[in-house]
Amino acid sequence: MYQSMWPDVLPRAGNRRLEKLASLSPWFEIYRVSEGVFAMLEPGHAEEAISYLIIGSKRAVLLDTGMGIADLKAEVNRLADLPVVVVVTHGHYDHIGDNHRFSEVWAFGSDSDVARIEQGKSREECTGYMAPGCYLELPAGFDPAAYEIRPSRVTRRLQHLEVIDLGRRTLTVHHTPGHTADSICLMDSRDKLLFTGDTFYPGMLFAHFEDSDFAVYRRSIDYLVDLLPGVNHLCPSHNEAYVEKTALIRVQAAFEQIVADNAACEIEGKVRVYRFDGFGLMVPDWN
Ligand SMILES: [Zn+2]
């Protein structure tokens, strides 16, 4: 739930409920979420990033490309014999690491959001992500000191409420800013899965980054709660791949409690850390 509990919580309860498939690289854990939807986890790094492969009849979407520590494209090619389009939930490094291996990368956001994705991150910028204790056994041949996010090209800009047709399945883009300005969620038509990116996962949610906005984040949670009547389950981008949709209602209540100054928190530097049942929230300390 919180990073301090990693790696003792592995494999997490929500993932143990899913069918586990074989992977080419031991770095990935692959679970079947539903027919044609696969969660690709990287539990060996404390971020516990999750990418999703969503397969239609004429093409597949790979939602995020994870840390870039092992070859995600090889796993994708084994599962999908169709053209694959990468869709980026937002531009943080742990969601775009393998973008460079793909020829089609679609993203939402402003010129600067897209530039951040395309630029990647240098070794120097990435050193903190590979500090000792952040990871378990790394794939053979991977050098943590050489870790970087390689540049990639965004080939198409997504629009709010755009519908991506995969054949027998569509994904609708919902702009849900707050964690970052460019954060999106995807709604799947066939299994009513809501892919929530970093806007929601069962863990510590981040509304305190320089590129975050707490008030905007709160409105996005309200927006997602309004979608819930048409949702069966949530598929977040960290920790657990299949979460009860009622979790979003608890997040909405948590935001309300924080705004009403009605929730206990710890102050860590300039950040308030709130802990709730099944998730937490880090927000700037306004005082
Ligand atoms: Zn993020």
Side-chain angles (χ1 to χ4, degrees):
M1 219 113 320
Y2 303 106
Q3 287 201 353
S4 58
M5 293 168 69
W6 178 91
D8 303 336
V9 286
L10 300 175
R12 289 178 181 271
N15 299 326
R16 280 200 297 261
R17 294 189 293 170
L18 301 171
E19 180 194 351
K20 191 176 176 188
L21 307 178
S23 57
L24 292 173
S25 166
W27 180 250
F28 296 108
E29 280 183 6
I30 302 179
Y31 294 92
R32 190 192 305 276
V33 176
S34 69
E35 203 187 316
V37 179
F38 301 94
M40 309 165 100
L41 285 67
E42 299 176 64
H45 190 282
E47 289 291 351
E48 293 184 67
I50 305 178
S51 308
Y52 290 91
L53 180 64
I54 308 153
I55 302 175
S57 60
K58 59 182 190 191
R59 68 177 165 199
V61 157
L62 175 61
L63 184 62
D64 288 345
T65 61
M67 303 279 302
I69 288 174
D71 185 350
L72 186 60
K73 193 176 184 186
E75 309 289 343
V76 165
N77 287 346
R78 210 172 56 91
L79 293 166
D81 190 18
L82 288 169
V84 176
V85 171
V86 168
V87 172
V88 176
T89 62
H90 66 297
H92 282 160
Y93 82 100
D94 50 329
H95 300 260
I96 60 171
D98 246 5
N99 278 14
H100 66 94
R101 294 187 203 271
F102 293 87
S103 55
E104 281 291 329
V105 177
W106 298 357
F108 186 94
S110 65
D111 289 352
S112 63
D113 294 325
V114 167
R116 171 165 80 164
I117 293 168
E118 292 189 326
Q119 202 175 342
K121 272 181 184 276
S122 67
R123 281 185 191 195
E124 291 70 31
E125 292 172 299
C126 286
T127 45
Y129 306 141
M130 282 294 152
C134 284
Y135 52 84
L136 305 175
E137 194 173 344
L138 294 164
F142 177 86
D143 175 9
Y147 181 60
E148 61 181 350
I149 302 296
R150 289 173 57 179
S152 62
R153 234 174 67 74
V154 172
T155 51
R156 201 162 149 260
R157 299 274 189 108
L158 294 164
Q159 303 293 320
H160 177 53
L161 298 182
E162 177 173 345
V163 177
I164 303 170
D165 185 7
L166 307 187
R168 298 208 205 106
R169 185 192 283 284
T170 64
L171 296 169
T172 303
V173 175
H174 294 278
H175 183 212
T176 52
H179 172 68
T180 62
D182 65 345
S183 288
I184 58 168
C185 297
L186 294 185
M187 180 68 207
D188 154 67
S189 64
R190 188 163 145 178
D191 299 309
K192 311 289 181 216
L193 302 171
L194 179 63
F195 296 90
T196 52
D198 277 8
T199 302
F200 170 74
Y201 46 78
M204 185 59 75
L205 301 170
F206 300 132
H208 68 296
F209 290 142
E210 242 173 57
D211 52 346
S212 306
D213 186 318
F214 175 81
V216 169
Y217 200 150
R218 185 186 175 206
R219 284 202 293 277
S220 289
I221 294 293
D222 290 343
Y223 175 86
L224 290 176
V225 167
D226 286 344
L227 297 182
L228 285 185
V231 173
N232 281 343
H233 275 89
L234 310 177
C235 295
S237 288
H238 291 278
N239 302 349
E240 294 191 19
Y242 197 64
V243 177
E244 299 301 325
K245 66 179 183 177
T246 48
L248 267 183
I249 296 168
R250 295 203 305 277
V251 176
Q252 183 183 43
F255 270 85
E256 279 167 22
Q257 273 181 269
I258 291 169
V259 169
D261 211 5
N262 205 8
C265 69
E266 293 153 40
I267 311 278
E268 290 180 11
K270 292 184 169 168
V271 176
R272 296 186 191 178
V273 183
Y274 293 89
R275 292 175 202 279
F276 301 94
D277 180 22
F279 66 95
L281 251 172
M282 288 173 71
V283 308
D285 184 23
W286 298 283
N287 297 324

